[in-house]
Amino acid sequence: MPPFAFFRGQIVPLEEAKLGIMTHALHYGTACFEGIRGNWNVEDEQLYLFRPDAHYERLLRSCRILKIKLPYSAQDLCDITRQVVERCGFREDVYVRPLAYKSSEVIGVRLHDLEDDFLLFVAPFGNYLDVEKGISCCISTWRRIDDTSIPARAKITGLYVNSALAKTEAQENGFDEGIMLGQDGHISEGSGENFFLVMNGQLVTPPVSDNILVGITRQTVMQMAKDELGIATVERSIDRSEPYVADECFLTGTAAHLSPVVSLDRRPIGNGQIGPVTSRLQALYFDVVRGKVDKYRSWCVPAFPKPVPSP
Ligand SMILES: Cc1ncc(COP(=O)(O)O)c(C=O)c1O
């Protein structure tokens, strides 16, 4: 079965979804996007889309910043997504990539007086980082771009040059991921993940005002930590040297899931192994996103109609 896309208002085979080379968003980075996971549950034979409503509410907030007007509500976008994922029929973990973009084919850098459109595609997608062994990170020499330059709270395509510089620098220097500091020297986030420390039995994460994407996994993990494990999260600025003395560290993101960080700048974090709080949170997180925890089942939207029970 060929994969399908949503393009110019319809579901079409992916190979028919082609943009013109003059498209504004391609030249000026004037688009915003999301990444939504579909997590395959073997026992249920079901693909669960994780919190698509939260992703589309964030997409519509990003659109407000970029002056993109879509003729769809968050619920419409959830419905479109479910339909495309169902048509694709993948029976494995997938990644859904929605994009709201300046679609006019004109020259001239601006946000106003342009047409907007929306597309999405679906691709099979396994683990992005090593969630089992833990990853090594470095503090990037690239600083996180400030809210007064390009707002990180909006998932704007043009902003991701900042992330790409940090990611490539980290990988070419032998690390898995780069952690960016903001202009003031506090830790902001990874190239595509939010940053957490475990210190004295609490989670510590940068506040939304430290130039982060306000992650849906970040919020999910904070809620689960509090409600299921009784662990509070402190949202406060984190100094560059604090991870060196922290007990544990991990990253969160739709692609990254909950990825333990076992070293930073070639220094072990804690004892250099995946810590107990990180392990417990990660196990809970994987059960929740695969639709295995009844209490959080409303976060998991089944992509396929429920099988009809045999008579
Ligand atoms: C820069 C950045 N920070 C954080 C995240 C994590 O956000 P979420 O958990 O909503 O995927 C992402 C991924 O989307 C990202 O690109």
Side-chain angles (χ1 to χ4, degrees):
M1 192 189 292
F4 290 88
F6 186 81
F7 186 62
R8 296 191 174 139
Q10 320 181 38
I11 299 177
V12 296
L14 180 64
E15 62 192 21
E16 287 175 23
K18 303 273 189 245
L19 284 173
I21 62 169
M22 285 179 66
T23 304
H24 197 272
L26 179 64
H27 296 264
Y28 303 114
T30 46
C32 43
F33 67 105
E34 277 300 324
I36 305 172
R37 269 202 188 255
N39 300 298
W40 178 245
N41 180 314
V42 181
E43 293 85 47
D44 294 2
E45 296 199 51
Q46 185 57 267
L47 190 58
Y48 288 112
L49 295 165
F50 191 63
R51 303 189 70 182
D53 49 342
H55 282 280
Y56 283 120
E57 279 155 21
R58 184 170 69 189
L59 184 78
L60 294 179
R61 286 197 295 276
S62 299
C63 285
R64 283 166 67 179
I65 290 178
L66 275 199
K67 288 178 165 284
I68 291 178
K69 288 205 170 63
L70 297 183
Y72 309 112
S73 65
Q75 187 56 52
D76 296 336
L77 295 167
C78 288
D79 294 344
I80 291 167
T81 303
R82 208 207 51 72
Q83 285 168 32
V84 179
V85 173
E86 185 187 353
R87 280 284 287 277
C88 288
F90 294 118
R91 293 167 63 86
E92 60 189 302
D93 291 351
V94 300
Y95 193 73
V96 181
R97 169 50 53 78
L99 185 85
Y101 62 104
K102 295 282 172 196
S103 56
S104 297
E105 300 197 23
V106 292
I107 294 169
V109 63
R110 61 179 187 275
L111 294 177
H112 62 282
D113 292 342
L114 294 166
E115 282 167 19
D116 306 314
D117 208 346
F118 171 82
L119 60 79
L120 80 78
F121 64 86
V122 185
F125 196 65
N127 285 338
Y128 177 68
L129 293 170
D130 193 329
V131 286
E132 274 152 36
K133 276 207 332 258
I135 59 165
S136 70
C137 294
C138 61
I139 295 291
S140 178
T141 65
W142 295 99
R143 292 292 175 106
R144 187 69 173 142
I145 196 157
D146 193 78
D147 187 61
T148 53
S149 299
I150 306 176
R153 76 190 65 256
K155 211 166 154 56
I156 298 170
T157 55
L159 172 68
Y160 276 73
V161 172
N162 186 218
S163 287
L165 288 165
K167 181 77 177 183
T168 291
E169 178 192 57
Q171 294 208 322
E172 290 185 348
N173 287 331
F175 299 96
D176 298 306
E177 188 55 277
I179 307 298
M180 289 174 281
L181 305 177
Q183 300 299 322
D184 67 354
H186 289 121
I187 289 181
S188 175
E189 60 181 340
S191 68
E193 309 87 13
N194 291 116
F195 185 87
F196 281 85
L197 294 177
V198 182
M199 295 179 91
N200 304 320
Q202 289 188 316
L203 304 186
V204 184
T205 195
V208 299
S209 48
D210 275 358
N211 299 302
I212 63 166
L213 182 74
V214 185
I216 289 154
T217 321
R218 174 183 181 273
Q219 192 275 325
T220 300
V221 165
M222 288 182 348
Q223 185 173 334
M224 286 180 345
K226 178 164 164 280
D227 293 351
E228 306 308 318
L229 305 181
I231 298 174
T233 305
V234 183
E235 293 177 70
R236 64 155 175 84
S237 294
I238 298 178
D239 283 338
R240 188 197 188 295
S241 61
E242 280 188 87
Y244 295 168
V245 295
D247 302 319
E248 303 176 34
C249 178
F250 60 85
L251 304 180
T252 62
T254 296
H257 292 306
L258 195 159
S259 295
V261 178
V262 291
S263 72
L264 182 72
D265 299 337
R266 307 209 189 281
R267 294 167 183 245
I269 294 185
N271 63 7
Q273 309 288 317
I274 299 174
V277 173
T278 305
S279 293
R280 287 167 72 201
L281 272 172
Q282 194 194 48
L284 186 59
Y285 168 84
F286 278 124
D287 281 347
V288 167
V289 300
R290 292 204 190 281
K292 295 183 177 172
V293 182
D294 281 349
K295 184 172 167 190
Y296 297 102
R297 187 63 79 96
S298 62
W299 279 345
C300 300
V301 176
F304 302 124
K306 292 250 180 308
V308 182
S310 27

